Amino acid sequence: MAAIFNMFRVKMGVVIARICLLLMLAVYSSYGGGCNFPEGWTGGWFQSGIPGLIYINSTTMQGKGDCAETDSNDKFLVYDRNEDCYRCLVIHEKHKYVLQYKETYCRERDSLSTMCESITGDAALYSMFRKEPRPIPEPCPFHPAPFTFTYSRGSGDCANPPSRAESCTDDSRLLLRYMACPDVPGTESNVEELICLATWKEGSTRYLVGLISQVQRRNSISTDEDMYRCFVYKGQHADKTVTYTIAQSGDATCNGLTSSVDGSRTMKLTNIDDEHNRCHFPSWVVEHHKWFSLDHTHQYHFTTKNATLKIMNEDGSFEEKRLVCHSILEQKDKQFVKLVAHLTRGCESGHVCVSVWRRGGGVLELQLGAALHDAPHHACSTGHSAPHVTLLSTSLYPMRCPMLGRYTVVDSLADRRRRRQQLTIDEATGEEVAEKPVECVMGHYDSASVGCGAAQDTIVFQSACTSAVYTCYGSWREGNLGLVVAGAARPSSRPHALCFLYTNYIANDSSGTAVQYLSLSGVSRSCDRAVLPGLAGDKAYNLTLNGTCEQSSKYNSVAVRLYPALVVLLIPLAILAR
Ligand SMILES: *[C@@H]1O[C@H](CO)[C@@H](O)[C@H](O)[C@H]1NC(C)=O
Ligand SMILES: *[C@@H]1O[C@H](CO)[C@@H](O)[C@H](O)[C@H]1NC(C)=O
Ligand SMILES: *[C@@H]1O[C@H](CO)[C@@H](O)[C@H](O)[C@H]1NC(C)=O
Ligand SMILES: *[C@@H]1O[C@H](CO)[C@@H](O)[C@H](O)[C@H]1NC(C)=O
Ligand SMILES: *[C@@H]1O[C@H](CO)[C@@H](O)[C@H](O)[C@H]1NC(C)=O
């Protein structure tokens, strides 16, 4: 019993002694100041050879210790809680995403300067790359792409065939197409994508840290150890040629990289001078810098001295295309141009055929080939059947509509059937009566007048109770097919319009009299030639000509007389019906 009590006393003593020690330590370290790591270092960092990430916050660097003292520059004394010892870390921030450090062994505390002085010049230098929060890539420092390049992995220069480095629409990416050289062992054809994360300069040496990924083995899992690479590069500009010598690290560190001609892999990039065969888009195309596709899914933006066209998704999602005018093949009266452009889409690039038509003031049609060709002269050599994209600028100019006249909408069978179903029994008389208000359906019209205003620039669809007005902004014919781009009377900053496709012909009506028919379809997406007028599209009508604009038909004059009364009667009914 006494023995147990004694043991308890001894244990208590040990516990008290420990508590006292901890208290003393706490007082000591708070007296010693403690310190903070710079705020910008907070996050998760990757270091080659260390599994997982190293997390840094204001007080602690995971795996190294708590900040105990600093010279407020690059030296930090950290306290390792687990080992109960101190080490000096000399940390250099090379870039907000790159920290490099050297360290001492963990031992008893001494002054900051004494401890840090024990780090020798040849001590190992470690590099940490930020992973969390996710770094934002920066533009790659190699301009102007594309380049041809030679490379060496230590067994001789692979120069023949030359390899190619191509730009991507996102300038923080570069596509490296390595070729295999039959005369150089160990070379293989391969495509790598480089994402540039950080560049900095030490003396006259320039560094780059980037992520390398294997484009052809996209699905294989790449680790940080495979992807992070450090580069030393040097650019030489002479007249119009720019060359870069680049040395790449063999692992996910910057170790052993001292010059741009000495590394696990070295490359020499030379820009492909294609400046001399660049063209400008014609002035009538770049008359407006910003264009919208009819359906508002894409924005078309002419930039860089009228030589570049950027195509962006309207919602900002990234599927940007960049077109640089390469050569103009054909041009007609400021109405049509056919040209070859160099297109970059993601990291893919090649030459495409582009045709542009001017359809009105502020209305263009564009046909952009889908296939990418390496050789410019192949781009337009094959027939070119890409869909037409209708483009609108924010300034649209009303113009005279085609097919002027007053028209009657021919009821389709379906319409007649619907009408018949709407016949109801009048309770008082027991007779079938047409319930007129139900006929007042949005988008259901009885008549149309085309170009009947003073300016002859509007299309008006009308029923007894509703109407729709479009202004014509461009019209043209392709054989039997007529096309009109028409939209809201007053375009806003985001122009809205439809494309009407039509055919007109003379045929006998049901009573055997010859009448002029106009079959019409409205398409909101584009001037899609595959839409058959009167049959498909977002809106479709068959119309018969009911007279010229000047002829005020009996039907129309009746409608006009009835119209105010009907509006008074129908609007409350329409509201009730909802
Ligand atoms: C820093 O992280 C450590 C653990 O890694 C944690 O104990 C400490 O409370 C954190 N400090 C701050 C200020 O968030
Ligand atoms: C681009 O084209 C527009 C319209 O023709 C012209 O006003 C402008 O000066 C051109 N810009 C350059 C840099 O050539
Ligand atoms: C227009 O007429 C054609 C045949 O003449 C018919 O097939 C089509 O359904 C009609 N369209 C409408 C909207 O009435
Ligand atoms: C239209 O009707 C006329 C007689 O009214 C007839 O001579 C002609 O052949 C008819 N045309 C068609 C296409 O049916
Ligand atoms: C116009 O259409 C109405 C109704 O269909 C008809 O009564 C009238 O006779 C037509 N006018 C002409 C000139 O064809």
Side-chain angles (χ1 to χ4, degrees):
M1 193 64 191
I4 289 171
F5 185 65
N6 269 342
M7 247 176 72
F8 180 71
R9 267 199 359 209
V10 169
K11 273 200 171 167
M12 272 306 281
V14 170
V15 167
I16 287 165
R18 277 198 182 157
I19 288 172
C20 287
L21 190 73
L22 277 176
L23 275 173
M24 274 164 62
L25 264 176
V27 167
Y28 180 75
S29 64
S30 69
Y31 179 70
C35 58
N36 287 326
F37 292 114
E39 209 174 305
W41 295 2
T42 298
W45 298 77
F46 163 72
Q47 180 185 322
S48 178
I50 293 183
L53 297 183
I54 297 172
Y55 287 92
I56 303 179
N57 65 17
S58 59
T59 55
T60 309
M61 187 168 162
Q62 203 185 46
K64 302 293 178 194
D66 301 336
C67 194
E69 195 183 337
T70 176
D71 67 348
S72 299
N73 187 15
D74 54 2
K75 296 188 180 69
F76 295 85
L77 200 61
V78 297
Y79 171 62
D80 187 333
R81 228 180 261 271
N82 300 325
E83 306 289 325
D84 186 19
C85 59
Y86 290 83
R87 54 164 67 92
C88 168
L89 294 174
V90 180
I91 310 177
H92 288 176
E93 183 181 319
K94 296 297 178 186
H95 182 275
K96 63 184 175 192
Y97 302 151
V98 182
L99 297 180
Q100 290 187 332
Y101 69 90
K102 291 185 174 190
E103 62 183 347
T104 62
Y105 293 113
C106 207
R107 52 178 205 234
E108 267 176 30
R109 185 168 186 159
D110 203 337
S111 77
L112 180 75
S113 53
T114 312
M115 288 193 76
C116 295
E117 266 159 26
S118 68
I119 297 177
T120 55
D122 59 358
L125 177 71
Y126 300 101
S127 297
M128 298 200 297
F129 308 117
R130 201 176 88 182
K131 275 209 80 180
E132 290 172 13
R134 201 187 164 91
I136 299 158
E138 63 175 57
C140 291
F142 313 117
H143 302 286
F147 298 95
T148 57
F149 71 91
T150 65
Y151 67 98
S152 164
R153 309 174 87 165
S155 52
D157 260 349
C158 174
N160 236 324
S163 300
R164 257 182 89 92
E166 287 163 12
S167 61
C168 305
T169 42
D170 174 0
D171 60 6
S172 62
R173 289 160 191 259
L174 193 71
L175 201 67
L176 300 163
R177 297 181 181 276
Y178 289 94
M179 302 298 279
C181 289
D183 57 332
V184 185
T187 60
E188 53 172 358
S189 68
N190 187 23
V191 185
E192 288 183 352
E193 188 185 315
L194 167 69
I195 301 177
C196 298
L197 291 182
T199 53
W200 73 95
K201 202 175 160 186
E202 276 171 45
S204 60
T205 312
R206 290 177 186 278
Y207 287 88
L208 161 71
V209 166
L211 293 167
I212 288 282
S213 59
Q214 304 296 324
V215 173
Q216 283 150 347
R217 280 167 262 157
R218 271 273 194 237
N219 297 330
S220 66
I221 296 161
S222 308
T223 62
D224 289 338
E225 298 280 1
D226 300 331
M227 289 169 73
Y228 280 93
R229 287 295 179 270
C230 197
F231 302 84
V232 167
Y233 65 94
K234 188 173 181 182
Q236 269 159 338
H237 301 248
D239 195 22
K240 274 189 172 171
T241 58
V242 182
T243 56
Y244 288 96
T245 49
I246 305 173
Q248 180 179 329
S249 65
D251 56 19
T253 72
C254 292
N255 297 346
L257 279 185
T258 49
S259 92
S260 67
V261 291
D262 193 13
S264 153
R265 178 189 288 174
T266 55
M267 288 172 260
K268 187 175 177 189
L269 273 60
T270 307
N271 75 309
I272 302 166
D273 176 24
D274 61 357
E275 193 73 40
H276 59 275
N277 46 22
R278 257 190 206 178
C279 52
H280 296 283
F281 288 103
S283 60
W284 56 270
V285 174
V286 295
E287 160 187 46
H288 302 286
H289 283 275
K290 214 183 218 178
W291 297 82
F292 298 90
S293 64
L294 200 60
D295 61 1
H296 275 280
T297 55
H298 292 86
Q299 248 192 54
Y300 291 68
H301 211 139
F302 290 96
T303 57
T304 328
K305 298 177 189 158
N306 298 334
T308 304
L309 169 62
K310 271 188 179 175
I311 308 175
M312 290 159 285
N313 281 9
E314 258 280 86
D315 59 11
S317 66
F318 230 76
E319 205 265 310
E320 193 183 286
K321 286 178 195 153
R322 198 169 58 207
L323 282 101
V324 179
C325 188
H326 176 276
S327 49
I328 290 179
L329 301 183
E330 199 184 329
Q331 197 165 180
K332 262 188 234 136
D333 313 331
K334 300 193 169 193
Q335 297 291 322
F336 171 71
V337 67
K338 186 175 190 176
L339 53 88
V340 176
H342 185 263
L343 181 146
T344 310
R345 176 177 62 206
C347 289
E348 278 183 304
S349 67
H351 293 91
V352 290
C353 195
V354 183
S355 299
V356 188
W357 292 262
R358 186 178 189 272
R359 301 302 192 186
V363 183
L364 293 182
E365 267 203 309
L366 183 97
Q367 212 180 7
L368 182 64
L372 298 178
H373 299 267
D374 284 338
H377 62 273
H378 283 158
C380 290
S381 61
T382 52
H384 168 44
S385 62
H388 292 81
V389 181
T390 313
L391 301 181
L392 302 177
S393 83
T394 47
S395 339
L396 293 166
Y397 304 95
M399 61 180 279
R400 190 170 180 265
C401 300
M403 304 300 297
L404 304 187
R406 295 186 189 278
Y407 294 85
T408 303
V409 175
V410 181
D411 284 343
S412 67
L413 270 173
D415 282 336
R416 246 171 282 150
R417 208 172 296 129
R418 202 182 321 147
R419 188 99 32 99
R420 215 170 298 127
Q421 282 165 354
Q422 287 159 5
L423 290 174
T424 53
I425 311 293
D426 185 307
E427 282 172 22
T429 63
E431 278 173 348
E432 273 196 340
V433 291
E435 204 179 9
K436 277 209 165 125
V438 192
E439 278 186 52
C440 192
V441 184
M442 281 299 280
H444 179 94
Y445 303 107
D446 304 320
S447 65
S449 65
V450 181
C452 289
Q456 303 188 315
D457 60 359
T458 55
I459 302 176
V460 183
F461 287 96
Q462 207 146 34
S463 74
C465 59
T466 171
S467 68
V469 182
Y470 300 92
T471 303
C472 295
Y473 295 119
S475 83
W476 68 102
R477 282 200 84 104
E478 289 172 10
N480 285 332
L481 184 69
L483 301 100
V484 183
V485 172
R490 230 174 275 123
S492 59
S493 57
R494 287 161 53 88
H496 276 280
L498 281 178
C499 187
F500 288 107
L501 296 99
Y502 66 88
T503 50
N504 57 317
Y505 50 93
I506 292 171
N508 288 347
D509 67 6
S510 52
S511 66
T513 33
V515 279
Q516 166 107 46
Y517 278 91
L518 178 64
S519 291
L520 184 76
S521 283
V523 187
S524 59
R525 193 170 63 249
S526 70
C527 291
D528 183 352
R529 309 311 197 258
V531 168
L532 292 173
L535 286 169
D538 302 317
K539 301 181 161 119
Y541 307 101
N542 289 318
L543 309 170
T544 55
L545 186 65
N546 197 334
T548 63
C549 287
E550 292 74 29
Q551 284 173 335
S552 175
S553 71
K554 184 174 160 244
Y555 172 79
N556 279 321
S557 51
V558 168
V560 166
R561 249 184 286 127
L562 277 179
Y563 189 61
L566 280 172
V567 169
V568 170
L569 188 72
L570 296 177
I571 286 177
L573 283 170
I575 291 166
L576 279 178
R578 286 171 70 156

